[in-house]
Amino acid sequence: MQMHARELQRGLGGEVKPHQCQQCLKSFSSNHQLVQHIRVHTGEKPYKCSYCDRRFKQLSHVQQHTRLHTGERPYKCHLPDCGRAFIQLSNLQQHLRNHDAQVERAKNRPFHCNICGKGFATESSLRTHTAKELQLHLGVLQQHAALMIGGATATPCPICHKVVFGGEALVEHMKNTHKDPNASGVASPPATSPYPAQAKPIDPYIAKRRTANHPCPVCGKHYVNEGSLRKHLACHPETQLTSSLRMWPCSVCQAVFTHENGLLSHMEHMRMEPKHQFAAQYVLSRAAAERRERDILAAVSASAGGSGLLNLAPPSPTHSDSSSNGRLSSSAGSEAGATVNKLSDLLRSNNGQAYGDERVAAIAAAAANMMAQPGEGANAVQVAAANLVSAMRQQLAREPPPETPAPNEATLRMQQAEALLRSQAEALRLAVSQAAAAHNTEPPSPLRHNGGFPTPTNDASGQLSPELVEAFRIAQEQRLEQALRLHDPRMLGFNIPSPQQVAQQAAQQAAQQAAQQAVAAQHAAQAQAQAQAQAQAQAQAQAQAQAQAQAAQHMQQSSLQMAQAQAAQQAAQQAVHLQQNPQP
DNA sequence: CTGGGGAGGGGGCCC
DNA sequence: TGGGCCCCCTCCCCA
């Protein structure tokens, strides 16, 4: 015990502290420290607050407490977009630590949605989110914005990226959320005081011990801090519509859901109800399609992560093409991500057009080959796929659905469109073959475009000769002309017959038969199970494609067949959906 | 339950 | 020597 007391009389540095407390045996270097400490035991509080009746053991504590009455907040956060002030330095330090934690979290999610400000770890996930938000909510948002503020334009907050509608809303948002004194012309309280200026000063500490100076713009409740107010705003659906913009309304009834799963469950539950039947099929099929898209994108991302394929361009909300004529430039290396975007766009955008299954087959084949062929060897595939995408889009733009078309004319238009798409798909297949042939050769030469058909340059890179490509092109053009003349797109069958082609044809036919059976059944649950099975099968095909890309060339050809067979199945499934769910 | 701010209090350092 | 100040820990409260 005596040893312990002696140790207590020595500080960490070994210095002697001769003034020891007789109650707890703590030692201090000076007597006044001991006196101050003894008050802990005696409870003596000699220092009284001049504003209230509170008493304290230390004078500094009184001074610190007095700031509650005066409103003085000398410790300001100097970080941009913050500006908070605190009574105690330690509170500011804790606040800064919170900032660091937020920054650390933001580092893990550097991609922000321009609509809701939500952060994402990858640009792919951001794009998926953005596409879903734009497609499923934009109409609702615009409608609500027009109703609430008379058609004001949507403006993103420069600080938190949330979208508010109209300048006044932005000013209010800046004031309420970010406490930006420059966001309004009205006088704001001084930076050192969180309390509003008043003609007759009122002791805020007495009026309200907690300084709830963050009013809710909806219900008027005050909250002590910004975080509390933000949490509270979640209970106001109208603020969700105008700020975070994350509502999922049912287009049939008045139900509104805060999560997509809620809407999907609602539609699943109401799918047999006559009024909901159409909308339910539409929503559920679209959700299933988006799931498939996410699977493909995830597989592409995982496969291409090390080959630069994920060096994506910034997302464009208007899905604009990168060139004026809607084609990708031949230097598509940095635009491979955009190509993937376009592929995903097409997979997602049914647009009420009953496309043939070759479209999806070609797209899926391109995606599979992008995965199977590393690095710039996939450029030809990407360019061809982009051209196919462009052709489809131009076809859509050129031929809007006629109001009351004659049956024959409509059929002809459809056949013409399909014929063109088939020719582009054939070009894509050529590019795939070229990429496979050029695999493991140094480095692929840039491609130039010839009416949508990728054509190799005349270098000695081991690719198909210009003559052969030209022969392919002429043959396709002839087939296209013949098909258009005969109004029979079936004339546009793929060329280069081979055992693999025969197997592919058989797989496609089997898939089509399965699709017809699914149409006859018209059972959505079965369709969902099929979609899941296809997703698994597709994942297997992707894995095989990756392995084959590292193996010999003929193995790549096999993987192509596998992917196309899977894609054909997927196409058949989409055809089922399209036939069951004609787009509004 | 958790995150974040408000507030009280103990102890050390400086002049 | 002692007053003043600062640092830091801790608990409380709120959403």
Side-chain angles (χ1 to χ4, degrees), chain A residues 192-257:
Chain A
T192 56
S193 170
Y195 312 113
Q198 305 202 18
K200 183 179 180 179
I202 298 177
D203 189 334
Y205 182 77
I206 297 176
K208 190 167 191 175
R209 190 164 174 268
R210 288 203 173 266
T211 57
N213 58 332
H214 292 74
C216 171
V218 178
C219 66
K221 279 185 179 178
H222 284 65
Y223 294 87
V224 293
N225 57 59
E226 178 184 326
S228 299
L229 174 59
R230 253 203 307 269
K231 292 175 184 174
H232 162 75
L233 284 175
C235 72
H236 290 303
E238 57 272 45
T239 64
Q240 297 297 299
L241 284 172
T242 57
S243 58
S244 59
L245 310 174
R246 301 179 66 78
M247 301 301 285
W248 301 77
C250 173
S251 60
V252 179
C253 60
Q254 300 303 315
V256 178
F257 303 88

Side-chain angles (χ1 to χ4, degrees), chain A residues 488-503:
Chain A
D488 185 3
R490 287 173 298 181
M491 294 294 294
L492 289 171
F494 289 129
N495 58 356
I496 316 177
S498 64
Q500 288 84 0
Q501 292 286 342
V502 174

Side-chain angles (χ1 to χ4, degrees), chain A residues 320-398:
Chain A
S320 61
D321 290 303
S322 60
S323 61
S324 58
N325 61 357
R327 294 194 183 278
L328 288 181
S329 66
S330 60
S331 59
S334 63
E335 300 176 4
T339 304
V340 177
N341 292 348
K342 294 171 182 297
L343 289 172
S344 62
D345 287 346
L346 273 172
L347 284 173
R348 183 173 52 248
S349 61
N350 297 324
N351 288 338
Q353 305 290 329
Y355 290 131
D357 51 1
E358 281 77 9
R359 185 192 84 160
V360 182
I363 293 171
N369 278 276
M370 277 189 238
M371 293 180 292
Q373 299 165 39
E376 297 182 0
N379 275 358
V381 180
Q382 296 163 17
V383 171
N387 290 339
L388 174 61
V389 167
S390 178
M392 292 175 177
R393 187 163 293 147
Q394 290 175 359
Q395 194 70 33
L396 278 179
R398 186 165 53 247

Side-chain angles (χ1 to χ4, degrees), chain A residues 38-49:
Chain A
I38 288 177
R39 291 177 190 145
V40 175
H41 303 295
T42 64
E44 179 191 7
K45 296 182 176 179
Y47 305 102
K48 180 182 177 301
C49 172

Side-chain angles (χ1 to χ4, degrees), chain A residues 444-510:
Chain A
S445 61
L447 301 176
R448 52 185 163 86
H449 296 293
N450 182 9
F453 296 90
T455 305
T457 54
N458 293 326
D459 65 352
S461 63
Q463 297 180 348
L464 293 182
S465 66
E467 295 78 9
L468 182 56
V469 172
E470 181 66 13
F472 281 145
R473 190 182 68 80
I474 293 174
Q476 290 171 52
E477 288 180 352
Q478 289 174 348
R479 244 195 343 273
L480 173 62
E481 291 174 2
Q482 186 178 6
L484 293 178
R485 187 167 59 248
L486 298 178
H487 299 171
D488 185 3
R490 287 173 298 181
M491 294 294 294
L492 289 171
F494 289 129
N495 58 356
I496 316 177
S498 64
Q500 288 84 0
Q501 292 286 342
V502 174
Q504 173 202 350
Q505 294 286 346
Q508 290 181 351
Q509 289 178 1

